Amino acid sequence: MSFSPVLRWFALAIVVLLSLGWKVAVSHDAYNKGLEKKEADGQRKFSEFLIRQHFAVLASETTATELGTIRATAGACQMRVIEVSYDGSDRDRIRRYASSMDTVFVVFGGRIYADQPTFLTVADFLWARFRRQLGLRAEATPVLVVIAKKSCEAERLPWSELG
């Protein structure tokens, strides 16, 4: 029994598409589970840092409309620590959390910035993604926005410990 060349190519194309589709579906699921674990690990790490600084901590989960936020209080000092997107796309969403009584700054790589250093955060994200594609274990450096009452002097905390 001999198949025509067109039928052979058609069968080969079907096998390749099914194989690639399966790989994409499996890798996408694994990627999502990895992101959920990374987010939970990040919030735990940030919470532990704030607890070491003598803050009481309450963490909220990320939802479609809310960013994952860690609320920390120590006496009259209140602050929020929010892990934001590497590309700065969360800027407008963050503004609604801050008031004129607050100071807002970004922590990236253990350093404090008045505004998100988007060039650095995007470059770090792309470099980590490239290394993952090579099969290496690499995570992008988290980008944190800190919103705190001005009286807290939150900039004086040892944020470099998170770097």
Side-chain angles (χ1 to χ4, degrees):
M1 178 191 239
S2 175
F3 294 105
S4 72
V6 173
L7 190 55
R8 284 185 194 160
W9 282 109
F10 180 72
L12 180 62
I14 294 294
V15 168
V16 168
L17 286 174
L18 288 174
S19 174
L20 289 176
W22 175 258
K23 289 177 185 177
V24 168
V26 169
S27 67
H28 180 69
D29 187 44
Y31 178 75
N32 283 341
K33 287 180 183 174
L35 280 180
E36 290 169 4
K37 183 180 182 313
K38 179 186 169 276
E39 183 177 299
D41 289 347
Q43 280 209 342
R44 182 181 43 79
K45 179 181 173 183
F46 309 142
S47 295
E48 289 172 356
F49 166 76
L50 291 168
I51 290 168
R52 285 193 309 272
Q53 305 307 316
H54 309 291
F55 282 86
V57 173
L58 175 64
S60 68
E61 292 185 22
T62 303
T63 66
T65 58
E66 293 291 323
L67 295 168
T69 302
I70 297 173
R71 294 174 191 240
T73 56
C77 180
Q78 297 177 354
M79 79 170 73
R80 293 176 188 239
V81 178
I82 306 166
E83 186 171 1
V84 296
S85 171
Y86 69 93
D87 62 1
S89 60
D90 296 324
R91 245 180 234 141
D92 291 334
R93 291 173 67 182
I94 297 296
R95 286 188 189 134
R96 67 184 166 132
Y97 292 117
S99 73
S100 61
M101 303 295 292
D102 296 327
T103 183
V104 180
F105 59 92
V106 176
V107 177
F108 175 70
R111 297 187 65 197
I112 296 173
Y113 298 89
D115 292 312
Q116 182 172 341
T118 309
F119 179 78
L120 294 176
T121 58
V122 169
D124 179 73
F125 172 81
L126 293 174
W127 177 240
R129 185 173 73 179
F130 175 70
R131 292 182 312 194
R132 280 193 308 275
Q133 289 172 341
L134 292 176
L136 303 172
R137 289 186 57 141
E139 295 294 333
T141 306
V143 183
L144 304 175
V145 170
V146 178
I147 302 169
K149 298 295 176 199
K150 289 180 182 178
S151 61
C152 289
E153 297 182 345
E155 302 94 335
R156 299 182 78 180
L157 291 175
W159 295 104
S160 60
E161 291 179 13
L162 288 174

